[in-house]
Amino acid sequence: MSDAARQAVADRLYFRRRIVNGVGLVFATLSTGFGLFWLAWILWTTFTTGIASLNGKLFTMMTPPPGDEGGLLNAFAGSAMICLLAILIGAPIGIAAGTYLAEYAKKSRLGEAIRFFNDILLSAPSIVLGMFVYTVVVKQVGHYSAFSGALALALIVLPVVVRTTDEMLKLVPSAMREAGLSLGVPQWKVTVQVLYRAALPGIVTGVLLALARISGETAPLLFTAFDNQFWSTNVAQPMASVPVVIYKFAMSADAGWKSLAWAGALVVTLFVLALSLISRAILLRNKVSND
Amino acid sequence: MVMAASAESIAVPQSDETRARRDGFADRLFRRIVAGAGIFVLATLAGVALTTLWGGREAFATFGFKFVVSSDWDTVGKQFGALAPVYGTLVTAAIALIIAVPVSFGIALYLTEIAPPWLRTPVAAAIELLAGIPSIIYGMWGLFVFVPIMGRHLNPWLNEHLSGWPVVGALFSGTQYSIGLGMLTAGIVLAIMVIPFISSVMREVFLTVPTRLKESAYALGSTTWEVAWDIVLPYTRTAVIGGIFLGLGRALGETMAVTFVLGNVHRLSLSLLEPGNSIAATIANEFAEADSEIFRASLIALAFLLFVVTFIVLAIAKLMLRQMEKKEGK
C-alpha cells in the first residue's frame, strides 16, 4: 500500500470517528433537552390550568357534591392530619433504626441485612404497602380509617428516615464519640445529646424529604383512609385527603370537580417541589446523596 | 463494639456504683430499643410478603396455577386470572426502559463530560425534580394533555405506517388507537418518571471513574464518545445495570400515573395502541368496588405477585450497586 493510500484510509477512519463522536454528543445533549422538556411541559400544564381554578373558596369551603361550588378545605385538613400522623409514627422508628445501623451495627451482618432490605422498602410499590395495611388493620377493624392511612404512609416515611439518619450519623466525626465516652458519659447519652445534635440538620432533612414523598401519595390511601365528603377530625373514621380527592375529581365528568382537581394538583405540586428543593439543598450542603 | 467495650471498662469510683449500674441499664435499654427498630424494618418487609400471600390465598387455592396463566377477569362469574394485568405491567415497563435507558445514558454523559461545569448542578437538580413530582400529577397531565395528543397524532401515524409490517405489525394494529389510552402512552409516561432515577445513578457512578483512566484515553487520542463508550461504561457496568434495575422496579410498581393513562380494560391484546391494564392499576381501580371475597382475594394475590417481582428486581439492583461500592473500596 502506498503512503497516499494509507493516508487516505487513516483519514477516512479519523473522519468516521469524528462523525460518531459528533452524533454521540448531539444525542447526549438532546437527551438532556428531552428530560427538561417533559419537566417544563408538565409543570406548565399544572401551573396554567391550576391557577385558572385557584381562588379563595379552595381553602374555605368543603368538597362539593357534583355540580356545586366548593373547595378542598376538608381534604387539605385531612392530608395535613394523615401526613403529620404518619411522620409521628414513622420518623421516631426510622431515627431509632438509623441510629442502630450507624452506631451499633456498622459492619455487622444484621446491620448489612437491615440496610439491604431498607433500600428495597425504599423503592417498593406504595400500593402494596397500602394492601398490607388494609389486610392487617382495615380488614380486622372492619372499616376504613384515617389512622390506617397514616400507618401506610408511615411505612413510606420509615425507609427514607432510616437511610438519612444512618448516613448523617456516619458523617459525625468519631472524635466526638470518643470525647464523650472518655469523659465517662454513657453511650446512649453521647448518642442522644451529642451525635443527634451534630446530625440534626441532616435528620430533619430526611424527615422533610419523607414528608415530600407522602404528601402526594395516593395509591395506599385509596383503601386505607379512603375518602370523606365532609369535615372530619376523627382518625378512626374515613378521612378525605388531597391526592385521593384529586383522583376522584379528575376521573369524573363534572367540570367543577375537574377544575378543583387541577387547583389541588397545583397546590400539592408546589408544596412537594418546595419541600424537596429545600431538603435537597440542605443535603447537598452536607454532601450526601439520597435516593 | 469497640466503643461499647471502652465505655464499660472505664474505671468508676465505688461510691458511684449505683450510678454506673443505672447507666449500664440505660445503655442496654437504649441499644435494645434501637435494635428493635432496626428489626422492625425487616419485619415490615416480611410482613408485607406474608400478609399479601395470606390475603390472596383464596385466589391461589381456587384458581391454582390458572390464576397466573388465565386472562379471564369476570367479576360477575367470579373467574379471575392475572395474565392480562401481568402482561400489561411487563410491557409498559419494557417500553419505559427502552426509552429511558438511552436517554438516561445521554443525560449522564452530558452532565459529566459535555456540559460546562456551571451548568451541571442546576441541570442535574432540574432532572431530579422530575422524580419529585407526585405520580398523580403525571396521571392528570397524561390523561388531559398527553393522551389526546397520542390519540390524534402519534397513534394514527404509527398505525398507518407500521401495522402492515411483518412481526411488529401486530403491536401497532387495532381499531381503538385514536382514544390515545394504552400501553404505549403508559410506557412513555413511565419512561419520563424513571429517567431521573436511572440517570442520577449513572451520573453518580460515572463520576467515580478515575480521572487518570479517562485522561490516559484522551492522551491516546480518543474522542469524548470513545471515552464514554469504551472506558467509562465498561468500568461502571455493574452499577449501570443496577441503576437500570432500580428504574425497572419503579416502573413495575408505579400506580397512579398508569391508572390514568392505561385505560383499565381487561383484555389481552398484542397492540400497544389499545387500552390495557396493569397489576397496580387494576388494584387501584377495582379494590374499593370489589364486592365478593374471591374478587378481593384475587386483587390481594395480584399485589403479592407485584411485590415478589419488584422485590427480585430491586434485590438484583442493590446487589449490583453494592458490588460497585466494594470495587471503590467503600
Side-chain angles (χ1 to χ4, degrees):
Chain A
M1 206 189 283
S2 72
D3 274 359
R6 207 172 287 139
Q7 187 60 41
V9 170
D11 280 351
R12 226 176 310 138
L13 184 63
Y14 182 66
F15 182 70
R16 209 180 57 213
R17 288 177 55 209
R18 288 281 298 268
I19 291 289
V20 168
N21 184 50
V23 170
L25 298 194
V26 167
F27 161 76
T29 313
L30 287 180
S31 298
T32 312
F34 181 80
L36 296 176
F37 164 74
W38 299 107
L39 177 72
W41 191 3
I42 293 168
L43 290 183
W44 172 255
T45 306
T46 314
F47 276 68
T48 49
T49 329
I51 280 180
S53 22
L54 203 62
N55 56 43
K57 290 193 196 102
L58 188 70
F59 301 100
T60 54
M61 289 175 76
M62 305 293 162
T63 46
D68 237 356
E69 274 205 331
L72 295 174
L73 178 62
N74 52 334
F76 282 122
S79 262
M81 275 188 72
I82 294 171
C83 289
L84 196 70
L85 204 56
I87 293 282
L88 286 178
I89 300 167
I93 303 177
I95 292 174
T99 310
Y100 177 69
L101 291 179
E103 300 300 316
Y104 294 92
K106 222 173 207 167
K107 291 263 149 67
S108 80
R109 195 168 279 179
L110 178 62
E112 283 298 305
I114 293 174
R115 238 173 240 132
F116 183 82
F117 289 112
N118 186 64
D119 281 353
I120 289 185
L121 194 58
L122 194 65
S123 304
S126 59
I127 193 158
V128 178
L129 300 179
M131 201 54 108
F132 168 58
V133 173
Y134 172 84
T135 324
V136 174
V137 180
V138 179
K139 206 171 174 196
Q140 311 309 322
V141 177
H143 59 84
Y144 299 115
S145 66
F147 182 73
S148 62
L151 270 184
L153 295 187
L155 294 181
I156 302 172
V157 171
L158 181 71
V160 181
V161 176
V162 171
R163 175 124 185 217
T164 7
T165 308
D166 181 19
E167 287 186 4
M168 287 303 164
L169 282 175
K170 274 196 217 148
L171 285 183
V172 179
S174 327
M176 279 206 198
R177 293 181 186 89
E178 286 156 11
L181 291 173
S182 69
L183 290 174
V185 183
Q187 195 180 357
W188 73 271
K189 257 190 189 165
V190 173
T191 310
V192 174
Q193 298 187 345
V194 180
L195 304 183
Y196 279 172
R197 252 178 231 181
L200 191 65
I203 296 174
V204 170
T205 311
V207 175
L208 288 182
L209 219 53
L211 180 61
R213 262 190 80 171
I214 59 171
S215 37
E217 195 59 69
T218 319
L221 293 178
L222 289 174
F223 32 83
T224 52
F226 199 58
D227 191 15
N228 189 339
Q229 207 195 317
F230 307 103
W231 174 266
S232 164
T233 51
N234 184 355
V235 292
Q237 290 299 323
M239 195 184 275
S241 62
V242 182
V244 172
V245 170
I246 292 176
Y247 174 55
K248 186 173 111 188
F249 282 11
M251 286 292 211
S252 76
D254 185 80
W257 271 14
K258 262 187 201 162
S259 111
L260 271 178
W262 277 111
L266 174 63
V267 175
V268 170
T269 309
L270 284 178
F271 181 71
V272 170
L273 289 188
L275 263 185
S276 60
L277 275 182
I278 293 168
S279 43
R280 263 164 215 282
I282 304 177
L283 275 186
L284 206 67
R285 216 173 50 197
N286 289 293
K287 287 188 179 133
V288 166
S289 68
N290 191 293
D291 264 299
Chain B
M1 271 312 167
V2 177
M3 272 167 226
S6 63
E8 277 156 23
S9 61
I10 288 168
V12 181
Q14 278 296 313
S15 58
D16 285 346
E17 202 179 308
T18 47
R19 187 190 173 141
R21 204 176 301 137
R22 205 183 57 209
D23 284 349
F25 174 74
D27 253 351
R28 278 194 298 279
L29 184 67
F30 186 73
R31 192 195 160 106
R32 269 196 208 131
I33 291 172
V34 296
I39 289 170
F40 181 79
V41 174
L42 296 183
T44 303
L45 216 59
V48 172
L50 292 177
T51 51
T52 47
L53 180 61
W54 177 250
R57 71 192 183 281
E58 204 183 324
F60 290 123
T62 312
F63 305 119
F65 190 62
K66 226 186 88 206
F67 182 69
V68 190
V69 293
S70 153
S71 63
D72 290 342
W73 196 266
D74 179 359
T75 55
V76 182
K78 296 183 179 165
Q79 289 301 311
F80 299 100
L83 190 59
V86 168
Y87 174 76
T89 302
L90 296 179
V91 170
T92 48
I95 297 173
L97 284 192
I98 289 171
I99 300 168
V101 169
V103 170
S104 301
F105 173 71
I107 292 174
L109 178 61
Y110 179 80
L111 289 175
T112 51
E113 300 287 336
I114 303 171
W118 58 268
L119 200 60
R120 290 177 189 184
T121 318
V123 171
I127 296 285
E128 289 200 1
L129 267 194
L130 273 176
I133 299 175
S135 73
I136 191 157
I137 309 296
Y138 280 96
M140 283 183 79
W141 168 84
L143 179 62
F144 295 118
V145 179
F146 193 55
V147 164
I149 291 177
M150 288 293 286
R152 238 175 291 137
H153 303 290
L154 190 60
N155 282 2
W157 187 87
L158 287 172
N159 184 261
E160 192 183 326
H161 291 88
L162 299 183
S163 62
W165 286 23
V167 189
V168 295
L171 297 177
F172 303 100
S173 58
T175 50
Q176 295 180 297
Y177 57 81
S178 58
I179 304 172
L181 299 164
M183 308 270 196
L184 185 63
T185 313
I188 295 174
V189 173
L190 278 179
I192 306 168
M193 300 182 76
V194 299
I195 281 173
F197 291 100
I198 303 180
S199 70
S200 83
V201 171
M202 285 188 178
R203 174 169 162 265
E204 261 170 48
V205 297
F206 284 4
L207 288 173
T208 66
V209 177
T211 316
R212 62 172 188 281
L213 221 54
K214 287 192 277 181
E215 283 177 352
S216 313
Y218 279 125
L220 289 173
S222 298
T223 61
T224 308
W225 180 257
E226 284 164 350
V227 169
W229 199 251
D230 299 327
I231 308 290
V232 174
L233 208 50
Y235 186 86
T236 56
R237 196 190 300 122
T238 46
V240 165
I241 297 172
I244 293 171
F245 271 80
L246 200 67
L248 177 60
R250 292 270 173 175
L252 290 170
E254 179 46 52
T255 309
M256 295 322 291
V258 176
T259 307
F260 273 93
V261 300
L262 197 45
N264 308 306
V265 175
H266 273 286
R267 189 192 41 190
L268 205 55
S269 154
L270 261 186
S271 173
L272 304 179
L273 309 182
E274 298 208 328
N277 220 331
S278 81
I279 296 179
T282 305
I283 301 171
N285 244 309
E286 303 183 11
F287 199 77
E289 280 114 55
D291 46 9
S292 61
E293 217 27 65
I294 184 74
F295 191 179
R296 219 162 264 236
S298 300
L299 289 170
I300 299 178
L302 273 182
F304 175 72
L305 289 182
L306 179 63
F307 181 73
V308 171
V309 174
T310 47
F311 183 91
I312 294 170
V313 167
L314 292 170
I316 294 174
K318 280 320 292 176
L319 287 173
M320 298 204 123
L321 289 170
R322 190 155 290 191
Q323 215 171 325
M324 185 73 191
E325 278 173 16
K326 275 197 191 126
K327 187 168 156 190
E328 281 171 60
K330 266 188 193 167

